[in-house]
Amino acid sequence: MAYVELRCASAFSFLRGASAPEDLVERAAALDYPALALGDRDGLYGAPRFYRAAKEAGVHPIVGADVGLRGGGRLYLLVENRQGYKNLCRLITAGQLRSPKGTCESLWEEVEECSRGLLCLVGAKASPLSPYLPRPGHPGDLEGACRELGRLASIFEGRIYIEIGRHFDEREERLNRALIALAEKTKKPLVATNDVRYACRADRPLLDLLTAIRLKTTLDAAGRTLEANSERYLKPKRQMEKLFCDLPSAVSNSAEIASRLSFSLHDLDYRFPDYPLPAGETPDGYLRFLTYAGARERYGAIDDRVRRQLEHELGVIAKLNLAGYFLIVWDIVQFCRRHGIMAQGRGSAANSAVCYSLGITAVDAVGMNLLFERFLSEERGEWPDIDLDLPSGEERERVIQYVYHRYGGPHGRGAAMTANVISYRSRSAVREAGKALGFSLAQVDRVAKLLRSHGYQDERDGLEEQLRLGGIDTEAPRVKLLVELAERMRHLPRHLGQHTGGMVIGAGRLDEVVPLEPASMPGRVVVQWDKDDLADLGIIKVDLLGLGMMAVLQEAFPLIKECDGMDLDMAHLPQDDPKVYEMLGRADTIGVFQVESRAQMAILPRMKPRTFYDLVVEVAIVRPGPIVGEMVHPYLNRRAGRERVTYPHPCLEPILKRTLGVPLFQEQLLRMAMAAAGFSGGEAEELRRAMGMKRSLERMKQIEVKLRAGMANRGITGKAADDIVKSITSFALYGFPESHAASFALIAYASAYLKAHHPQAFYCAMLNNWPLGFYHPATLVKDGQRHGVAFLPIDVSHSRWRCTIEPRGQGEKAVRIGLKYVWGLRREAGERIESERDRAPFSDLADFSRRTQLKRNEIDALAHLGAFASFGLRRREALWQVAAIVQDPQSLLAGVKPAATPPATLPPMEPIEETLADYRESGLTTAEHICAHLREKLSAMGVVKCNELESFPNGLRLKVAGHVITRQRPGTAKGFFFLTLEDETGTANAVVTPALFTANRALLVNSSLLAIEGKLQKQDGVIHIRALRFHPIDVGPFLPASHNFC
Amino acid sequence: MRQKRRIACIAVDEFPLAALYRVEPELRGRPVVITEGVGPRAEVISVSAEARRLGLCTGLSATQAQAVCSRVVVRPLCADNLLGAENALLDLAHSFSSCVENAGFGVVFLEASGSTAMYGSEERLMAAVSAQGQKVGLTLRVGVGSSKVVARLAASVSEALAVPAGEEASFMASLPIDLLEPSHEVALSLDRWGIRTIGQLVSLPADQVVTRLGKPGWELVRRARGEDTALLCPSAPAREFVEATELEYPVDNMEPLLFVLRALLERLVARVKLQGLTAGSLRVSLWLAGMARGETEERTIGVVSPTDEVKALLALLRVELERKPPSAPVERVQVTIRPARPRPVELDMFSPARPSPRKLAATVAKLVAACGVNGVGSPYPLDSYRPGDFRLDCFPPARKRSAEGLDASCVEELSHLALRAIRPPAPVEVFCDRGWPVFVRGRGFGGRVVNTAGPWRVEGEWWREGSFSREYFDLEVSDGGIYRIYRDLASQNWFIDGTYD
């Protein structure tokens, strides 16, 4: 006699199970179970992880689900064969799409329709039989139960079992007696299950906690909604046999059922849709045609090297039967072209010359000598991953809708968005566990705030340690419990979200491959698996990602054509432009994609990029991976010739030569693992996946053991081995693949080119597509002014809703700030101003008010901003008039024009007041910087200007002051605090030691305008102030807030 | 000649904070902020000078305040504290004048002409007011002027200032316009016009200001000119003196509760004394955990001999509460004193001394205490797996209950074979064979086990100190009885839980 557990709910039953699928499998393997079934509530969310873990552990994974029915009750269904799997997916999808998010209500007709290939276990709890079983005050209705069972038996003919469980619960035993009687009467077989909710007995507290969280109550108040005891763990077979010693057939039936359920997720019958080919064409032939046509356009003449590469790639694509996939991605890109939407492939696709030729990517893989196998290889035999960057916002949505409609199929079920499984992280775990343990909201919030949510965290930097440092008594019993349970909750799934842009498409019905469910966003449907699960099961996804800078470029190129008469596009920008590199070299990169952060600006003058490849390195080097792996300084020192180029081992020289012996890209690490530790291609791929995954730390640890063993076999031990391991494992924290860095570098180059050569169009587009990047529009305007761009203030007679470029006379042009920057002005009001003005110019303020019918606060804001200057009104004059305008058209006074001249006692606005009014009403000013108004006072304090710092000697003690535009305290910086000040001449960076930060925290966090006294530090052209003292300068609350990364 | 009108304004700075200091004087000198709202979004609305020096200001969230300074004391705005402080302020004002207007939020006006005559000068009156303020735990600002506006402004700019008649315009001209407390819209318009002082507003043509700012503008201009002829709206002196406090956590012990009551009584008696009265009766209202909204447990205690001694009043409260302790932890408490005029007492020379009612009540309460306060009341089953878990409601029951109110599972338990529970469960000796009881022996019963049902396991409340883990068996024993026994899994000891009838 053998027993197989057929009913398990994992944490993917969302707050109804306390163990990850992997933990259940691990326990099953330890207990020597030949098979295990996972049936989560209303979905197959955990199935891929369960399948993968089971495959590794040698346990046969049985797929199932606990499906909700309309009108109450649930059916526990197990998959017998592929048809059953398809039916289960369809049944869940139908139930999910019909019901509000988070619930599933399948109809009986659908159950009847989808019953083939499925096996049903029907028991006492929440089943269709439940209403007929004995309950308090009711003896039960055996006849009724027989009828209901008969109905189910007619649907699941020969595939229905009566399920009984024993959890040492007196009431359950009464139900079991009724079920046994029912089985005897109807001659239906019994099967024993333990309705497992967690892997081990010790996990029961976690389930109780999750139950309290689910019910939004505390453990103290949860009462009997919790479990009565700790019996819902995966029990040893012998124990189950003993429990059911009076019903041996119930135990043996479980094994018999398991032997019938042969289905496995390895063959989902997933097919990518076919691209509609022209008559007489084959996919491979058509792809070849398009590739060569594109290559001729890209390369001009196709030389041998390019041809060889294209042939190689086309050969691999043909062998893997992937031509259709490339054609569909090409089709999406073509759609973008046709509709003027910029699109550029990123990620490993940039390693492909075919993708470059097809216009999918913009990086010349041949020219850059990129490794195609990182993108696609015969050995791996998996789908390639092509990510497309699109302008964020409406344009991206158009592309997504195109894919839905073109490839969604006749049922509309052929396409869906990728899910994103949101897991508990430290903060969310502490918050929810704290509430369930009865801590007050304020206490929970205080504790949660102590936890760092961003940046690198040391492995020793555990929850308990962080709380202890935050002054929490971690010895208090409830706090101890909180720490323990929150630790255990971490990484358990919390809910399903929607991936930012991943789309899955399939030939035929995608809802037969994976269940679909509604997303929170109206009209969107998501699959129940995340990107890793999809990749594991060979399901293809196309990432359509929104990128703010793409939207900027999209808007800037037509502006350039309109203003400068130059027809530019991404693919035809002049390469290696010296002005661009000169600008990058002096870290003049505010607004430039990817290289505008303080850290990037600190590297740029040392790096001094001179070629496009330097920019690729620059993009990749300021990442947690290289920083924590301590690769940045060796690279910069070697580049500057201060350090000799060496290699951890001679076998790594060919791999690391290009980056001066320092690994910076993911590809290099994979090659290092192959060369130094003898990793196979598959193992290297496993390493890559581990590096890119959220659960990577655990997996990386396993891989480290393999790495060391492999290196030891090749005689690499000691420091060399340590260095290699450190390089590789630190990338788990986040590093870029070379091709991805190259794609981003292209956009960075394009944005830098626009800033250097067409600043008006650049700043105009930046302002129109904000929020993006690091800096506030106020900073962008000031940066633009320093680059000679004229900005015109908001004016109701000239401004459109968005910022525009307008002539200023004598062939000069300026950026006119758009009405969208007037805070509190509704979009429809702004557009009404435009349309009324297009109809006829406004004659005066009264005319403006009458025709636009703005709200009082809107017109006041415009007057305060000086937006009526074209009527000859100064700000206070306008405000005085606006206040007298009677807006009610029915009023007798409606037509009366107010006195234009304000009383002499109304004080005129000082220039500094005008600037502050600009900040207050629009968040930016085209007039002088606030520091220019304060310069006299600042000079008296001994404050120097930011652009003068360069002229002072290193080590000099001085004062600098400005508007605080960024604050940063990165996890990688050991508690150091960085801030950037901006004055009328430029920006200055200050570094604050952890002790000084703690002592001046309030000042540093709250002050918008600050004077800093400190020592000047100059190294390789990078200038910092090492702060010693601080002086706040009060100018009121209206300066724009800084961009904070604290 | 008609005497010119003189109005005094008594104002308390940072009123929520002052109300807190009155209740927790030990917080003076420490960085303290008061927050309004719930949870992490609670907003700081009042800041002590010490906290302000550390960079804290109003408008921050509570979490931000703690992030800026971890040692700052954060207290939520407490309606009880505010009400107590406001009433104390009114009591104080009434001790100086019969014509007192409560302007709210720590500001009162009073007719000062008569009082000035009593004290000799306005300066002396102001000094006396400040001194009385100390007695009720409030730090006051006092201003005197010809109108409420002038008096209010005088109190705003100085701790004690009297503005002589005829000098109002020059006094007000340089003061910030915000002191006149214009509405948000009016303030925004004035700020945009660059009007920052009262003098600047007065210099604008009034008709044009009114055209633009409407009625609120007109009222503001009048106030700015000191044209305030509004009469005081007198409030009546208190008939009862009330102080209440919400406890930080529910209190279920007598000592902490009495500690709280003492503080309440001290504040109350200080107020009663201001009026030259004594406590005639006491009423204690208790808000208990689990009570419905608006429900309280009330105790009224007559004070046979009116007194203003805190110690005596507290003793009365103690006896009453020990006689009949609160049926659940106390979350909020309110004490009301109904005042009485102190009467001289003449002792009877010939009657035998009768026991004082106060002492009698104390004796009864002690008797109840001797019987055990936990033994009085009616049991009510709790929603818990802990076998036999119940709570005691006070007797007679505080709330009406019916069978419908009981949990369905409780009904189920009642509907089966009746179990005569043995409390406390008695230890028994059990012999097992491979984990199953085969022989059982206890006080008054014992024998070979004939039939067994079970085990039924209950394990729970692992998050508390008193977690439990038991394994129950129903045994038919050879002595003819059917028993329910259990094994405590933590100690491995066996107990008899009950016998089946």
Side-chain angles (χ1 to χ4, degrees):
Chain A
M1 192 163 55
Y3 174 75
V4 171
E5 184 56 66
L6 292 178
R7 190 190 264 263
C8 287
S10 74
F12 279 98
S13 285
F14 299 114
L15 305 178
R16 285 183 163 85
S19 296
E22 291 88 343
D23 298 333
L24 290 168
V25 169
E26 191 183 333
R27 168 88 178 158
L31 295 175
D32 204 21
Y33 273 93
L36 184 70
L38 181 72
D40 280 316
R41 190 181 169 95
D42 297 330
L44 300 177
Y45 307 98
R49 281 170 62 175
F50 175 63
Y51 166 71
R52 188 172 55 231
K55 205 169 66 173
E56 280 171 16
V59 176
H60 172 54
I62 299 167
V63 179
D66 187 21
V67 182
L69 297 169
R70 173 161 279 187
R74 313 190 66 78
L75 283 180
Y76 188 73
L77 303 172
L78 295 171
V79 174
E80 206 170 15
N81 50 37
R82 191 197 283 175
Q83 183 59 45
Y85 178 77
K86 287 181 174 180
N87 281 336
L88 183 61
C89 290
R90 284 178 59 179
L91 185 63
I92 294 171
T93 303
Q96 288 272 8
L97 293 182
R98 171 179 309 109
S99 322
K101 182 152 176 67
T103 55
C104 172
E105 292 177 355
S106 299
L107 303 177
W108 275 104
E109 302 88 81
E110 288 161 355
V111 174
E112 281 173 31
E113 197 185 312
C114 300
S115 65
R116 269 185 58 205
L118 291 172
L119 192 139
C120 177
L121 306 190
V122 58
K125 206 170 171 186
S127 83
L129 298 182
S130 303
Y132 305 99
L133 297 176
R135 60 183 184 277
H138 193 278
D141 173 6
L142 187 61
E143 289 305 317
C146 287
R147 274 198 310 278
E148 195 62 32
L149 189 63
R151 179 186 176 193
L152 282 166
S154 66
I155 297 171
F156 297 97
E157 212 173 328
R159 288 169 285 123
I160 187 149
Y161 287 78
I162 296 175
E163 178 191 7
I164 55 171
R166 282 180 169 160
H167 300 96
F168 300 103
D169 183 335
E170 196 173 358
R171 276 175 288 184
E172 184 185 50
E173 202 49 41
R174 277 181 221 141
L175 294 173
N176 282 346
R177 267 185 250 137
L179 288 172
I180 292 164
L182 180 67
E184 280 169 2
K185 186 163 182 187
T186 56
K187 308 287 181 224
K188 291 283 176 279
L190 285 168
V191 63
T193 71
N194 197 41
D195 192 6
V196 168
R197 301 300 175 97
Y198 38 87
C200 304
R201 182 184 271 274
D203 296 330
R204 184 263 177 110
L206 193 54
L207 181 68
D208 281 352
L209 187 85
L210 297 176
T211 306
I213 292 170
R214 176 166 57 83
L215 299 175
K216 296 186 171 57
T217 184
T218 62
L219 285 166
D220 290 309
R224 274 174 286 186
T225 53
L226 306 179
E227 290 298 324
N229 56 35
S230 315
E231 298 299 322
R232 291 189 189 271
Y233 63 100
L234 197 54
K235 290 181 176 164
K237 290 186 283 183
R238 183 172 289 250
Q239 201 173 321
M240 288 301 287
E241 287 162 11
K242 198 174 155 191
L243 262 177
F244 290 93
C245 58
D246 56 330
L247 296 167
S249 65
V251 175
S252 59
N253 280 345
S254 69
E256 188 264 328
I257 291 170
S259 67
R260 278 172 64 180
L261 307 178
S262 58
F263 173 76
S264 161
L265 280 180
H266 82 273
D267 182 12
L268 291 175
D269 197 19
Y270 166 77
R271 242 173 2 95
F272 199 67
D274 296 324
Y275 176 75
L277 293 164
E281 284 285 2
T282 62
D284 289 325
Y286 195 53
L287 180 67
R288 174 178 291 274
F289 165 73
L290 292 173
T291 303
Y292 274 95
R296 276 189 289 277
E297 203 177 303
R298 288 280 200 188
Y299 294 102
I302 301 172
D303 62 20
D304 278 355
R305 195 163 155 236
V306 172
R307 186 179 300 279
R308 263 202 314 276
Q309 182 63 27
L310 288 177
E311 282 304 319
H312 168 63
E313 291 187 16
L314 287 169
V316 173
I317 292 166
K319 265 187 195 166
L320 295 172
N321 197 21
L322 289 174
Y325 170 69
F326 282 83
L327 288 171
I328 284 177
V329 178
W330 170 79
D331 177 52
I332 297 170
V333 172
Q334 286 305 307
F335 169 82
C336 296
R337 297 263 150 77
R338 282 198 302 276
H339 293 83
I341 301 169
M342 290 186 74
Q344 180 184 302
R346 70 151 90 152
S348 59
N351 290 30
S352 159
V354 168
C355 285
Y356 179 63
S357 302
L358 290 174
I360 295 170
T361 58
V363 176
D364 176 7
V366 178
M368 284 196 64
N369 199 20
L370 295 173
L371 178 68
F372 175 68
E373 279 63 29
R374 163 69 181 81
F375 174 54
L376 202 60
S377 83
E378 287 178 63
E379 189 190 342
R380 287 206 309 272
E382 67 170 30
W383 291 99
D385 183 13
I386 300 183
D387 302 338
L388 287 180
D389 280 330
L390 299 164
S392 51
E394 289 165 13
E395 308 284 18
R396 175 169 159 265
E397 189 57 32
R398 279 175 71 192
V399 181
I400 288 175
Q401 290 306 326
Y402 171 73
V403 177
Y404 261 123
H405 290 123
R406 185 154 167 99
Y407 299 105
H411 311 282
R413 303 262 169 98
M417 301 304 290
T418 310
N420 190 17
V421 176
I422 313 293
S423 300
Y424 278 105
R425 303 178 74 174
S426 295
R427 270 195 187 181
S428 51
V430 164
R431 260 183 220 286
E432 301 208 2
K435 280 190 265 180
L437 281 164
F439 288 89
S440 71
L441 276 179
Q443 286 171 316
V444 167
D445 194 61
R446 185 167 168 237
V447 171
K449 286 270 161 67
L450 292 170
L451 305 175
R452 284 203 295 274
S453 57
H454 300 294
Y456 168 69
Q457 291 187 5
D458 194 279
E459 273 179 64
R460 289 159 298 177
D461 205 4
L463 191 58
E464 186 175 354
E465 183 64 8
Q466 287 193 56
L467 293 182
R468 198 180 58 73
L469 290 174
I472 303 286
D473 176 13
T474 50
E475 290 304 309
R478 285 249 168 160
V479 177
K480 263 188 171 174
L481 265 181
L482 173 66
V483 169
E484 185 201 326
L485 291 168
E487 287 278 14
R488 285 164 70 180
M489 272 172 78
R490 278 202 318 190
H491 307 308
L492 284 188
R494 188 188 195 195
H495 62 265
L496 205 65
Q498 182 186 310
H499 187 264
T500 45
M503 281 199 85
V504 186
I505 45 181
R509 301 188 60 139
L510 193 58
D511 64 345
E512 290 184 345
V513 177
V514 51
L516 313 181
E517 62 178 64
S520 306
M521 201 170 167
R524 290 274 180 93
V525 174
V526 291
V527 299
Q528 289 191 335
W529 297 342
D530 74 7
K531 61 186 175 69
D532 295 330
D533 298 334
L534 292 168
D536 278 347
L537 295 173
I539 296 175
I540 208 157
K541 82 172 171 34
V542 181
D543 274 342
L544 304 172
L545 305 163
L547 206 59
M549 187 50 79
M550 288 293 273
V552 170
L553 298 175
Q554 168 103 21
E555 184 168 347
F557 288 130
L559 274 176
I560 293 167
K561 190 173 182 186
E562 193 183 312
C563 300
D564 303 338
M566 292 175 72
D567 206 353
L568 288 177
D569 67 44
M570 271 281 279
H572 297 98
L573 288 177
Q575 293 187 352
D576 290 338
D577 181 78
K579 193 173 173 187
V580 169
Y581 290 117
E582 190 266 328
M583 187 182 86
L584 291 171
R586 45 169 217 277
D588 179 9
T589 52
I590 287 177
V592 179
F593 184 65
Q594 286 287 313
V595 291
E596 62 172 342
S597 71
R598 179 202 55 78
Q600 289 280 10
M601 282 187 179
I603 301 284
L604 277 167
R606 296 178 203 178
M607 180 94 179
K608 291 218 180 297
R610 291 182 291 270
T611 63
F612 180 70
Y613 192 74
D614 290 345
L615 194 53
V616 176
V617 170
E618 176 71 36
V619 165
I621 203 166
V622 185
R623 303 284 145 198
I627 291 171
V628 176
E630 293 174 10
M631 297 160 190
V632 179
H633 290 290
Y635 178 80
L636 293 174
N637 289 337
R638 288 173 192 199
R639 190 175 159 85
R642 287 191 292 262
E643 195 178 287
R644 206 163 52 84
V645 175
T646 57
Y647 301 93
H649 192 268
C651 69
L652 302 180
E653 184 170 347
I655 302 164
L656 300 178
K657 195 168 184 180
R658 207 168 167 186
T659 51
L660 311 178
V662 181
L664 295 175
F665 302 112
Q666 262 187 16
E667 291 91 334
Q668 288 175 309
L669 304 186
L670 304 189
R671 285 178 173 178
M672 281 166 73
M674 290 166 84
F679 270 37
S680 68
E683 284 170 327
E685 183 53 24
E686 174 67 12
L687 173 63
R688 184 191 71 78
R689 298 271 293 280
M691 286 193 283
M693 287 175 72
K694 294 178 278 278
R695 318 181 270 275
S696 58
L697 273 176
E698 294 82 3
R699 292 179 72 175
M700 286 302 289
K701 272 184 196 160
Q702 294 164 10
I703 287 169
E704 184 179 334
V705 174
K706 263 190 192 175
L707 266 176
R708 287 194 183 275
M711 285 191 288
N713 283 342
R714 289 165 181 243
I716 305 173
T717 52
K719 189 174 179 305
D722 290 343
D723 287 348
I724 293 171
V725 167
K726 187 176 178 187
S727 308
I728 292 174
T729 51
S730 61
F731 259 73
L733 293 163
Y734 195 67
F736 266 7
E738 188 172 15
S739 50
H740 184 64
S743 299
F744 269 11
L746 263 182
I747 302 176
Y749 179 82
S751 58
Y753 184 87
L754 293 192
K755 179 171 174 170
H757 292 280
H758 305 280
Q760 282 164 340
F762 173 74
Y763 288 104
C764 184
M766 285 290 284
L767 289 174
N768 279 337
N769 289 285
W770 198 83
L772 83 166
F774 259 57
Y775 299 98
H776 195 275
T779 302
L780 293 174
V781 167
K782 291 296 142 202
D783 188 59
Q785 287 174 332
R786 287 193 291 272
H787 286 81
V789 177
F791 287 89
L792 298 172
I794 296 167
D795 192 302
V796 293
S797 298
H798 303 289
S799 290
R800 306 198 76 82
W801 177 250
R802 291 165 75 82
C803 301
T804 50
I805 297 178
E806 64 179 56
R808 287 180 81 194
Q810 297 174 343
E812 287 187 10
K813 293 192 171 65
V815 178
R816 171 73 70 178
I817 305 296
L819 293 166
K820 67 180 277 190
Y821 275 100
V822 182
W823 283 356
L825 185 72
R826 293 158 299 140
R827 185 172 185 148
E828 66 261 30
E831 285 169 354
R832 203 179 315 132
I833 294 172
E834 275 192 59
S835 61
E836 279 297 321
R837 193 179 63 211
D838 289 346
R839 205 162 55 80
F842 300 116
S843 58
D844 57 22
L845 208 156
D847 177 45
F848 173 85
S849 169
R850 186 176 48 77
R851 285 166 55 193
T852 56
Q853 290 294 306
L854 299 192
K855 291 181 183 173
R856 178 64 186 265
N857 67 312
E858 292 171 327
I859 202 165
D860 268 349
L862 286 168
H864 201 204
L865 263 173
F868 297 117
S870 51
F871 299 155
L873 295 174
R874 296 177 67 84
R875 297 186 193 214
R876 291 246 160 94
E877 288 171 348
L879 282 164
W880 191 251
Q881 276 200 27
V882 162
I885 287 173
V886 177
Q887 301 232 354
D888 180 5
Q890 305 298 321
S891 167
L892 288 174
L893 300 172
V896 179
K897 280 192 180 182
T901 318
T905 45
L906 194 73
M909 216 179 235
E910 298 292 327
I912 188 167
E913 284 182 308
E914 291 191 351
T915 298
L916 288 171
D918 287 346
Y919 283 131
R920 178 171 173 173
E921 305 295 354
S922 67
L924 55 84
T925 183
T926 56
E928 281 190 296
H929 193 278
I930 187 75
C931 287
H933 298 293
L934 302 170
R935 182 51 61 195
E936 207 174 312
K937 183 181 160 192
L938 293 174
S939 298
M941 286 167 64
V943 170
V944 303
K945 292 178 184 170
C946 290
N947 69 348
E948 292 171 351
L949 292 178
E950 211 170 336
S951 60
F952 292 111
N954 188 28
L956 186 73
R957 187 167 173 147
L958 44 71
K959 276 186 205 165
V960 67
H963 173 204
V964 183
I965 56 172
T966 65
R967 293 178 168 91
Q968 205 173 359
R969 206 177 182 211
T972 47
K974 297 168 187 167
F976 277 81
F977 181 76
F978 302 90
L979 35 78
T980 308
L981 303 179
E982 181 198 56
D983 71 5
E984 72 273 33
T985 65
T987 59
N989 289 307
V991 187
V992 183
T993 59
L996 204 58
F997 173 74
T998 308
N1000 296 277
R1001 188 182 185 124
L1003 196 69
L1004 289 168
V1005 171
N1006 295 327
S1007 302
S1008 54
L1009 200 61
L1010 198 63
I1012 297 179
E1013 187 175 346
K1015 276 192 177 170
L1016 190 66
Q1017 286 192 330
K1018 294 167 89 173
Q1019 191 189 359
D1020 293 343
V1022 182
I1023 300 176
H1024 276 100
I1025 309 288
R1026 199 171 180 90
L1028 298 169
R1029 290 176 68 188
F1030 310 96
H1031 312 274
I1033 302 165
D1034 186 17
V1035 287
F1038 301 115
L1039 284 188
S1042 62
H1043 199 154
N1044 294 341
F1045 303 87
C1046 294
Chain B
M1 195 179 87
R2 193 180 163 194
Q3 195 184 4
K4 281 195 178 167
R5 191 167 87 129
R6 299 299 282 168
I7 306 281
C9 172
I10 308 176
V12 182
D13 267 356
E14 294 286 353
F15 187 56
L17 199 63
L20 175 70
Y21 285 154
R22 184 170 164 268
V23 176
E24 296 183 62
E26 66 277 7
L27 290 180
R28 285 180 197 275
R30 290 176 61 187
V32 184
V33 296
I34 306 271
T35 59
E36 188 173 21
V38 185
R41 292 195 183 153
E43 190 184 317
V44 173
I45 58 158
S46 194
V47 183
S48 72
E50 293 75 16
R52 208 173 284 280
R53 274 198 287 278
L54 292 169
L56 293 161
C57 57
T58 55
L60 295 175
S61 71
T63 315
Q64 284 171 329
Q66 278 169 326
V68 171
C69 172
S70 59
R71 63 193 176 91
V72 69
V73 179
V74 179
R75 289 278 196 273
L77 183 67
C78 175
D80 290 333
N81 290 353
L82 285 183
L83 191 67
E86 189 171 303
N87 286 335
L89 190 62
L90 276 173
D91 295 339
L92 179 144
H94 275 294
S95 71
F96 285 93
S97 170
S98 57
C99 185
V100 173
E101 176 184 322
N102 181 11
F105 219 67
V107 178
V108 294
F109 294 101
L110 52 113
E111 175 56 52
S113 314
S115 310
T116 307
M118 275 176 63
Y119 283 87
S121 70
E122 286 176 346
E123 283 67 28
R124 283 191 189 168
L125 170 68
M126 290 189 289
V129 169
S130 297
Q132 289 290 58
Q134 297 299 321
K135 289 186 184 166
V136 289
L138 294 171
T139 304
L140 306 175
R141 288 174 169 274
V142 194
V144 181
S146 56
S147 66
K148 287 202 285 184
V149 171
V150 176
R152 178 74 187 94
L153 291 177
S156 300
V157 298
S158 172
E159 283 179 12
L161 179 68
V163 180
E167 293 180 19
E168 289 85 358
S170 59
F171 162 67
M172 290 167 71
S174 60
L175 298 180
I177 196 90
D178 295 346
L179 290 179
L180 292 179
E181 296 175 356
S183 66
H184 175 70
E185 288 75 24
V186 170
L188 192 61
S189 292
L190 291 175
D191 185 50
R192 282 173 168 159
W193 296 349
I195 302 299
R196 308 276 147 73
T197 65
I198 294 173
Q200 281 179 309
L201 178 62
V202 171
S203 72
L204 292 177
D207 58 334
Q208 292 195 35
V209 172
V210 176
T211 307
R212 283 157 178 81
L213 299 180
K215 197 178 169 200
W218 171 235
E219 282 166 3
L220 187 70
V221 168
R222 290 196 61 211
R223 287 211 298 280
R225 289 171 174 172
E227 293 171 5
D228 176 17
T229 53
L231 298 173
L232 294 184
C233 303
S235 61
R239 289 172 181 273
E240 287 186 339
F241 295 81
V242 183
E243 290 278 345
T245 191
E246 194 134 352
L247 307 179
E248 267 184 64
Y249 52 88
V251 168
D252 52 3
N253 281 330
M254 192 57 71
E255 286 312 315
L257 183 60
L258 286 170
F259 182 80
V260 172
L261 286 169
R262 170 189 284 277
L264 288 176
L265 281 173
E266 281 172 351
R267 296 204 290 275
L268 275 170
V269 166
R271 286 172 52 195
V272 169
K273 277 178 165 177
L274 273 181
Q275 308 291 332
L277 300 170
T278 56
S281 71
L282 286 172
R283 190 170 71 244
V284 183
S285 308
L286 302 170
W287 279 256
L288 306 181
M291 269 188 169
R293 201 185 171 88
E295 231 176 81
T296 56
E297 200 174 291
E298 302 266 342
R299 315 284 176 87
T300 304
I301 306 137
V303 182
V304 179
S305 171
T307 176
D308 57 8
E309 277 182 43
V310 172
K311 204 172 162 186
L313 295 170
L314 187 65
L316 283 171
L317 287 180
R318 174 191 283 271
V319 169
E320 168 61 21
L321 291 171
E322 281 182 351
R323 183 184 69 79
K324 189 180 164 190
S327 53
V330 179
E331 292 179 335
R332 180 170 182 258
V333 58
Q334 176 180 296
V335 180
T336 307
I337 288 183
R338 201 169 178 84
R341 296 218 169 271
R343 280 182 301 183
V345 177
E346 190 174 346
L347 295 174
D348 192 331
M349 287 179 64
F350 305 105
S351 304
R354 284 179 295 182
S356 138
R358 197 170 63 188
K359 283 185 181 166
L360 186 63
T363 309
V364 173
K366 278 175 190 166
L367 283 173
V368 173
C371 295
V373 282
N374 294 330
V376 181
S378 48
Y380 184 68
L382 290 177
D383 177 21
S384 163
Y385 287 114
R386 185 186 287 277
D389 208 1
F390 70 95
R391 71 160 188 263
L392 269 182
D393 275 357
C394 60
F395 184 77
R399 280 189 288 171
K400 286 183 182 170
R401 292 195 306 270
S402 61
E404 291 84 36
L406 291 176
D407 189 278
S409 55
C410 302
V411 177
E412 181 198 27
E413 300 303 334
L414 292 173
S415 66
H416 284 266
L417 200 61
L419 180 77
R420 188 183 295 273
I422 296 170
R423 292 290 175 272
V428 291
E429 203 175 349
V430 177
F431 297 92
C432 294
D433 179 18
R434 279 171 288 180
W436 290 90
V438 291
F439 190 87
V440 59
R441 187 165 57 202
R443 196 170 159 189
F445 82 104
R448 191 168 45 80
V449 176
V450 179
N451 256 317
T452 312
W456 321 123
R457 282 187 190 147
V458 279
E459 298 159 282
E461 298 182 11
W462 45 265
W463 59 93
R464 283 188 188 154
E465 243 179 49
S467 62
F468 57 90
S469 175
R470 295 178 189 176
E471 203 168 58
Y472 282 79
F473 291 87
D474 290 326
L475 306 178
E476 186 186 351
V477 179
S478 57
D479 66 2
I482 304 175
Y483 306 96
R484 168 158 286 200
I485 64 166
Y486 73 85
R487 175 164 49 185
D488 184 284
L489 293 172
S491 65
Q492 292 297 317
N493 292 327
W494 290 87
F495 298 88
I496 180 161
D497 190 54
T499 64
Y500 285 99
D501 282 347

